[in-house]
Every structure is written in structure tokens, then in C-alpha cells.
């Protein structure tokens, strides 16, 4: 029996369905934007939370060893990565974490590099913290993205870059970086003394034989990197605000600990810990089923466009549940927002959010929803192009 249940989330105060005005200026669009799922979490998570709620006392929470062990076991089982208990730190969100690490690893006006197009809060973190943003565009070959190592290194040298915020797997282009790519990239960083924040929030969502390699496992990088991940994408727990920071190096841990002592974010809420522990301990089957649903939705998008609008470029989905789609053969980049909203009635992430107008012909579609919603979205785009 299926463990994954689609839910109608309308009128539940969820951002994706009920909070479109901020980004789109209106409500009522079919939303395939915000990166959360329209699926109920694994039953083991609701049970663990219900048990906690039913005892009716919500005082200060002592994080049990079983929480850490659940994460350690998950990393070992799915990523062959041995995390030590003392390396683990807490953050309510991955975005908060990379903002904070940017603050204590760099100084105002220092230069930070990212590979574009990229998850836009990377860009905001750099700009909001008054660091200088340098971008190195990925190379796009018919929708398949690779790193321009020469450009990356050149820009690091020319701009005295001190920090690289890295997305692995990469949102929005769906790449799962290979061992060779990771090593080449991180060796360049080592050579030029560039510190790395490795955002691995999408680590578990990989498809078609692609395997995520934790950046720490790609080589000897402990003293130049901090990794941030979370159960939030994997198990649809973003509202529970529980993320994991992995810091193998003792000196770096000291820096982190000193920094968070200053801002007094020493731990999260009970619900987040309970949900994360339950998911990592018992969510395996649910997770495998979600992956199948996501990949089927991707194939639906890819195959339907291939048949009806063959010049739409859908990037191969190696990882994440986000599909990166280039509409330039059918829609002028300057018309894409009107096209998606007015003609198709869709809320999708617009390409220019990910690094500028050169990505305006793209949209990012969230595949973690029902097949019916994905079908409706694709059909609306096809109809919009044809009529
Ligand atoms: C690469 C990446 N990092 C971080 C986040 C969000 O992290 P959080 O909600 O824990 O702040 C997302 C959500 O889409 C993401 O794609």
C-alpha cells in the first residue's frame, strides 16, 4: 500500500498555496514554486509528534542522543559518510546557517563566489551581509550543466575571493556533482585559500543512478569547509526548522561555537528534533516511494514536452525535486512572467531570480506534487504556446 499521500494544502497557511501575493502579486495560481512537497510526511513522524503533543507539556527540551544517532546512521547508510557526534551543530534553517557562516568566515566587502544560476538566497546572503558577489556561470550544453573551472579559478584570482557558497546537488539545474568535479572544484578552492560552505540540503534526492558524494568525502577538505544539510527537503519538514551543520575541524567548530554563543541560537524547538529523529529513523520506505513519484513526474514533464513542444529544454534530473526548463524556443524571455501567470495561471520560480536576466527564459518547476498537478501545469504551458 502506498505510504505517500497527496494533500490539498489550500487554506492551511502554507506559503506555496496561500502565500503567492508576495512573489506573484496575486493568489489562485497553480503553485509549483516553493521547494516543499504536497505530500503528508511519513507516518512515523506524525506518530512521534502526536505522542509528544498528547503528553501536553512543552517545557525546555533535552536533545536525546538518539536524535544525533539517527542522523549519523542516515549519513552512513545513504552516503557512506561517517559523521562523528561531536561534529554536529544545530541551525533552524540552512539559509540561516549559510548567512551566519558568511558573517564569521568573512568580513564586509570580502568577495564571495557562487556558480550561477543558483538558489537565490545564496545571492541575498552575500548582498545582505555587504559582501561582494562574484558569479561564475555554469556551462549549459543543451540543458546539461557543467562547471567552467577555468572561469571559476580566474575569477577567484582576479577578485581575491575568500568564500565559495556551493550547492550540491545543485538547485536549480539538477546536477549531482561527480567525484572528479568535486575534487577539481575544491582543489581550486584549497589552492587559493577559499573557504567553502557546502549546502547539501538536497543530498538525498538523487535519481537515475546518480550518487551524491558529500563534499567532505571528496578529499581532504576538513579545515576549509563547513557542510549544512537537513531533513527538511527529504521528508517535507521545512516548517519544523531543524537543520544540521557538520564541522569536522576543531578550530572551525570553535569559531562556530563562539559565534552562536553571541547570537544565542544554541538549539531548536522540540518539534523539530522529534520530527527529524523520527524521519531519519523510520522514514526509509516513504522516502523511496517519494523518489519514485518525483522521477515519474519528471519523466512526464520531459516526455510530454518532447512530444508536444520538442524545443523546450528540460534539464536532466540527476538530483533535487526541481525541474529546470528553458522555454526560449517558444516564449520571449521578456514575456515569460506574463505567459506563466496570465496565460497559464501558474506560479513557478522564474529564471531571473537565480542570477539575473540572462536566465529569464527559464522556469523552475517543483515536481513534489501530484501527477495531476504536474500534468495540468505542462498542459497549460503547451496550450499557452500553441494558442
Ligand atoms: C539549496 C537550498 N538550500 C537551502 C534551502 C532552504 O533551507 P532552509 O529552509 O532550511 O533555510 C533550499 C530550499 O529550497 C535550497 O534549495
Amino acid at each position: 500500500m502506498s505510504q505517500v499521500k497527496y494533500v490539498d494544502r489550500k487554506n492551511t497557511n502554507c506559503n506555496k498555496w496561500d502565500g503567492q501575493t508576495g512573489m506573484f502579486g496575486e493568489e489562485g495560481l497553480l503553485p509549483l514554486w516553493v521547494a516543499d512537497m504536497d505530500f503528508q510526511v511519513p507516518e512515523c513522524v506524525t506518530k512521534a509528534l502526536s505522542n509528544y503533543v498528547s503528553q501536553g507539556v512543552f517545557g525546555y527540551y533535552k536533545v536525546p542522543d538518539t536524535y544525533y544517532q539517527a542522523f549519523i546512521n542516515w549519513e552512513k547508510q545513504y552516503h557512506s559518510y561517517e559523521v562523528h557526534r561531536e561534529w554536529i551543530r544545530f541551525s533552524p534553517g540552512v539559509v540561516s546557517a549559510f548567512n551566519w557562516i558568511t558573517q564569521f568566515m568573512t568580513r564586509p566587502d570580502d568577495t564571495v563566489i557562487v556558480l550561477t544560476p543558483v538558489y537565490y538566497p545564496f545571492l541575498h546572503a552575500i548582498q545582505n551581509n555587504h559582501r561582494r558577489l562574484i558569479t561564475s556561470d555554469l556551462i549549459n550544453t543543451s540543458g546539461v550543466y557543467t562547471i567552467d573551472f577555468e572561469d571559476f579559478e580566474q575569477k577567484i584570482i582576479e577578485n581575491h575571493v575568500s568564500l565559495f557558497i556551493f550547492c550540491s546537488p545543485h538547485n536549480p539545474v539538477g546536477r549531482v556533482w561527480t567525484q572528479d568535479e568535486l575534487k577539481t572544484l575544491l582543489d581550486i578552492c584549497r589552492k587559493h585559500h577559499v573557504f567553502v560552505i557546502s549546502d547539501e540540503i538536497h543530498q538525498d534526492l538523487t535519481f537515475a543512478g546518480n550518487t551524491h558524494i558529500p563534499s567532505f568525502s571528496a578529499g581532504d577538505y576538513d579545515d576549509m569547509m563547513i557542510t549544512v544539510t537537513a531533513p527538511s527537503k527529504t521528508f517535507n519538514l521545512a516548517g519544523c526548522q531543524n537543520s544540521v551543520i557538520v564541522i569536522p575541524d576543531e578550530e572551525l567548530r570553535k569559531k562556530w561555537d563562539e559565534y552562536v554563543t553571541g547570537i544565542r541560537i544554541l538549539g531548536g524547538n522540540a518539534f523539530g528534533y522529534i520530527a527529524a529523529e523520527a524521519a531519519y529513523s523510520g522514514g526509509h520506505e516513504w522516502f523511496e516511494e517519494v523518489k519514485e513519484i518525483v522521477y515519474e513526474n519528471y519523466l512526464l514533464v520531459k516526455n510530454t514536452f518532447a512530444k508536444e513542444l520538442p524545443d523546450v529544454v528540460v534539464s536532466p534530473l540527476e538530483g533535487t525535486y526541481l525541474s529546470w526548463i528553458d522555454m526560449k524556443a517558444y516564449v520571449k524571455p521578456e514575456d515569460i512572467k506574463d505567459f506563466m501567470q496570465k496565460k497559464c495561471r501558474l506560479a513557478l520560480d522564474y529564471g531571473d531570480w537565480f542570477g539575473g536576466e540572462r536566465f529569464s527564459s527559464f522556469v523552475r518547476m517543483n515536481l513534489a506534487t501530484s501527477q495531476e498537478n504536474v500534468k495540468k501545469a505542462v498542459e497549460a504551458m503547451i496550450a499557452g504556446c500553441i494558442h
Side-chain angles (χ1 to χ4, degrees):
M1 211 182 70
S2 171
Q3 297 203 8
V4 178
K5 191 166 161 244
Y6 173 80
V7 274
D8 179 358
R9 300 172 68 201
K10 269 196 257 43
N11 305 316
T12 63
N13 287 330
C14 75
N15 221 23
K16 189 182 190 176
W17 289 84
D18 303 327
Q20 299 170 13
T21 306
M23 291 301 250
F24 301 96
E26 59 180 320
E27 297 294 322
L29 305 167
L30 176 63
L32 296 97
W33 62 303
V34 175
D36 65 18
M37 303 180 184
D38 296 329
F39 303 129
Q40 257 176 14
V41 298
E43 205 184 332
C44 58
V45 174
T46 20
K47 267 198 185 142
L49 288 172
S50 304
N51 287 342
Y52 185 65
V53 168
S54 64
Q55 52 85 45
V57 182
F58 307 109
Y60 295 110
Y61 188 68
K62 178 187 168 294
V63 185
D65 287 341
T66 45
Y67 162 82
Y68 296 101
Q69 202 53 50
F71 173 70
I72 290 168
N73 292 348
W74 182 271
E75 289 302 298
K76 193 167 175 190
Q77 179 176 350
Y78 285 92
H79 305 296
S80 310
Y81 180 44
E82 301 261 2
V83 180
H84 295 197
R85 162 69 187 86
E86 65 271 22
W87 299 353
I88 301 174
R89 295 294 183 272
F90 167 82
S91 170
V94 168
V95 173
S96 326
F98 62 63
N99 273 271
W100 292 333
I101 300 166
T102 300
Q103 285 170 14
F104 73 79
M105 287 309 298
T106 61
R107 278 185 251 149
D109 298 324
D110 276 0
T111 309
V112 185
I113 196 163
V114 293
L115 298 174
T116 35
V118 79
Y119 178 58
Y120 36 91
F122 282 23
L123 312 170
H124 305 161
I126 298 163
Q127 287 155 342
N128 293 343
N129 287 299
H130 310 289
R131 272 60 174 173
R132 206 156 69 87
L133 168 68
I134 295 291
T135 60
S136 175
D137 279 359
L138 295 166
I139 300 166
N140 175 7
T141 314
S142 311
V144 176
Y145 285 81
T146 47
I147 298 164
D148 187 341
F149 294 110
E150 223 172 277
D151 180 71
F152 181 72
E153 181 161 21
Q154 201 53 39
K155 289 204 167 128
I156 285 176
I157 296 167
E158 278 169 11
N159 297 287
H160 308 287
V161 166
S162 51
L163 174 69
F164 169 41
I165 310 183
F166 181 38
C167 198
S168 179
H170 194 102
N171 170 8
V173 305
R175 276 299 318 280
V176 173
W177 305 114
T178 63
Q179 166 68 26
D180 281 352
E181 286 171 316
L182 288 169
K183 195 156 173 13
T184 308
L185 195 66
L186 297 172
D187 283 350
I188 292 172
C189 291
R190 168 164 303 292
K191 186 168 150 199
H192 300 290
H193 310 288
V194 175
F195 192 77
V196 181
I197 301 171
S198 187
D199 176 338
E200 303 185 20
I201 197 168
H202 295 281
Q203 63 174 359
D204 302 315
L205 281 307
T206 57
F207 308 98
N210 294 284
T211 309
H212 169 76
I213 301 168
S215 293
F216 278 126
S217 302
D220 182 13
Y221 305 114
D222 285 6
D223 61 341
M224 52 169 267
M225 188 158 63
I226 292 179
T227 286
V228 192
T229 189
S232 50
K233 296 293 153 206
T234 313
F235 294 106
N236 204 22
L237 296 173
C240 291
Q241 304 226 309
N242 189 288
S243 306
V244 181
I245 301 171
V246 180
I247 318 179
D249 183 75
E250 199 181 334
E251 286 305 307
L252 289 171
R253 280 202 301 275
K254 270 193 206 146
K255 281 196 172 175
W256 170 265
D257 291 341
E258 231 175 77
Y259 180 81
V260 290
T261 304
I263 55 172
R264 296 301 297 172
I265 307 267
L266 300 177
N269 71 74
F271 298 92
Y273 287 114
I274 290 165
E277 179 182 341
Y280 279 138
S281 310
H284 306 73
E285 279 176 40
W286 179 96
F287 160 67
E288 295 297 343
E289 199 183 319
V290 158
K291 283 209 309 182
E292 278 173 31
I293 295 171
V294 168
Y295 203 68
E296 272 171 31
N297 283 345
Y298 158 72
L299 292 176
L300 174 81
V301 172
K302 190 159 182 77
N303 295 339
T304 314
F305 278 131
K307 195 159 150 236
E308 306 291 340
L309 297 176
D311 294 323
V312 168
V313 182
V314 180
S315 286
L317 190 76
E318 296 180 357
T320 82
Y321 53 69
L322 308 162
S323 185
W324 185 239
I325 303 169
D326 189 354
M327 298 294 296
K328 88 165 155 289
Y330 300 96
V331 186
K332 284 199 207 114
E334 62 272 26
D335 295 339
I336 197 130
K337 293 183 182 173
D338 269 1
F339 174 85
M340 291 299 166
Q341 266 176 256
K342 297 210 172 99
K343 235 175 165 179
C344 306
R345 302 298 296 153
L346 298 175
L348 302 175
D349 285 48
Y350 294 126
D352 63 344
W353 296 352
F354 295 84
E357 280 184 5
R358 64 196 179 285
F359 306 118
S360 290
S361 66
F362 295 85
V363 286
R364 192 195 74 177
M365 183 187 286
N366 183 339
L367 302 166
T369 186
S370 66
Q371 197 170 85
E372 194 190 331
N373 285 339
V374 173
K375 210 164 158 211
K376 267 193 212 159
V378 173
E379 282 171 358
M381 286 158 78
I382 293 166
C385 287
I386 290 171
H387 300 298

